């Protein structure tokens, strides 16, 4: 079912369901609560039934580097601290980050042909002023990558929900938004095998954008929070905090 924008009391309004704007596709997304004003007031996924969902491949509370669902432990490159975040603690890359990120040499059991969903909470500590910040980067090692970026875009910031087919094409789905540094945002990337979609705070903001096929290998299989696959230090690393990260198939 769809969220009720007129909810007058805190209630569960979405969990695992088929969206009417996605014919034939079911996405697994973090349960959200809406308060009377229609703003997100969501619980930590750890406290919901989705923790036991068969499609949850990896789940990081980001109190530490451990996977609370399976065994895809992260490496904390640069030793970022786990500081106060959306729920308890989260990974805090700081406001001047150029070297720090979380990394696993794994696909988390996900496929480059989908379906996949990535769910995360993000709060910036420095507004993007050049190039872009990489929030998420996933690579299958054989030519496909999923990336969520926050781009400067000449002073008109935007989120980019990106499926890359290396040496073939890059399929981008954009949402123009200035995130700022004051608020937390629930960001979701989905790919059902045909379409990319991006969601912010429970609303579809980007897509459906067509993407299909593969490319040729560019990077080994890997998963990154806060950095792109090349771990480029030229301003592409996230300057902010990430919490409650989940990956679904």
């Amino acid at each position: 079912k769809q969220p009720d924008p007129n909810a007058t009391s805190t209630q569960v309004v979405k969990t695992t369901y088929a969206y009417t704007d996605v014919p034939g596709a079911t996405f697994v997304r973090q349960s959200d609560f809406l308060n009377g004003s229609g703003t997100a007031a969501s619980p930590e996924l750890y406290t919901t039934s989705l923790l036991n969902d068969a499609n949850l491949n990896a789940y990081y509370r980001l109190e530490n580097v451990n996977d609370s669902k399976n065994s895809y432990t992260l490496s904390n490159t640069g030793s970022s601290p786990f500081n106060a975040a959306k729920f308890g603690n989260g990974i805090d890359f700081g406001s001047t980050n150029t070297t720090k990120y979380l990394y696993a040499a794994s696909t988390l059991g996900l496929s480059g042909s989908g379906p996949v969903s990535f769910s995360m909470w993000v709060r910036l500590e420095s507004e993007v002023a050049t190039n872009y910040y990489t929030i998420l980067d996933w690579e299958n090692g054989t030519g496909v990558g999923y990336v969520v970026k926050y781009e400067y875009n000449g002073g008109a910031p935007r989120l980019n929900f990106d499926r890359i087919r290396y040496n073939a094409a890059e399929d981008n789905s954009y949402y123009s938004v200035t995130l700022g540094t004051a608020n937390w945002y629930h960001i979701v990337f989905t790919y059902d095998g045909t379409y990319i979609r991006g969601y912010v705070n429970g609303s579809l903001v980007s897509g459906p954008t067509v993407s299909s096929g593969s490319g040729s290998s560019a990077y080994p299989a890997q998963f990154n929070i806060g950095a792109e696959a090349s771990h480029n230090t030229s301003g592409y690393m996230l300057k902010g905090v990430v919490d409650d990260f989940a990956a679904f198939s």
Side-chain angles (χ1 to χ4, degrees):
K1 64 180 182 178
Q2 296 293 333
D4 176 9
N6 299 311
T8 57
S9 61
T10 300
Q11 58 179 297
V12 176
V13 292
K14 55 183 180 293
T15 162
T16 304
Y17 57 91
Y19 287 96
T20 58
D21 59 346
V22 189
T26 299
F27 290 105
V28 182
R29 301 201 298 157
Q30 181 174 342
S31 295
D32 278 69
F33 282 60
L34 295 183
N35 61 28
S37 63
T39 57
S42 306
E44 185 181 18
L45 187 146
Y46 189 80
T47 67
T48 75
S49 61
L50 285 180
L51 181 64
N52 298 314
D53 194 284
N55 294 102
L56 179 60
N57 284 43
Y59 172 52
Y60 302 98
R61 299 182 73 188
L62 295 176
E63 302 289 330
N64 49 47
V65 296
N66 297 331
D67 177 2
S68 295
K69 180 65 175 184
N70 288 305
S71 301
Y72 300 114
T73 303
L74 300 169
S75 296
N76 187 353
T77 302
S79 300
S80 294
F82 295 91
N83 290 331
K86 179 68 177 178
F87 308 105
N89 291 331
I91 188 68
D92 185 350
F93 296 116
S95 62
T96 60
N97 179 32
T98 59
T99 59
K100 300 173 183 178
Y101 55 93
L102 298 179
Y103 168 82
S106 172
T107 64
L108 310 181
L110 302 174
S111 169
S113 58
V116 299
S117 294
F118 298 100
S119 167
M120 67 217 78
W121 284 91
V122 178
R123 181 179 63 80
L124 299 185
E125 293 180 277
S126 178
E127 179 60 52
V128 66
T130 185
N131 297 319
Y132 56 85
Y133 296 160
T134 307
I135 300 171
L136 152 73
D137 181 287
W138 176 97
E139 308 287 335
N140 72 348
T142 59
V144 173
Y146 302 124
V147 186
V148 177
K149 306 173 186 176
Y150 181 53
E151 301 177 340
Y152 179 62
N153 187 38
R158 64 189 182 187
L159 284 167
N160 182 356
F161 301 88
D162 187 8
R163 182 174 182 267
I164 302 173
R165 294 174 286 137
Y166 288 103
N167 300 309
E170 191 166 345
D171 304 315
N172 303 291
S173 191
Y174 297 114
Y175 172 50
S176 295
V177 61
T178 299
L179 296 182
T181 59
N183 297 319
W184 282 95
Y185 293 89
H186 183 217
I187 298 173
V188 174
F189 171 107
T190 70
Y191 177 64
D192 64 354
T194 304
Y195 296 106
I196 303 164
R197 290 175 171 83
Y199 296 82
V200 174
N201 292 343
S203 296
L204 177 67
V205 296
S206 175
T209 301
V210 172
S211 181
S212 62
S214 187
S216 56
S217 182
Y219 300 105
Q222 61 188 275
F223 165 66
N224 301 277
I225 297 175
E228 61 182 3
S230 63
H231 301 152
N232 193 311
T233 60
S234 299
Y236 305 134
M237 293 184 178
L238 180 63
K239 296 176 174 64
V241 187
V242 181
D243 202 2
D244 210 47
F245 191 107
F248 294 91
S249 59

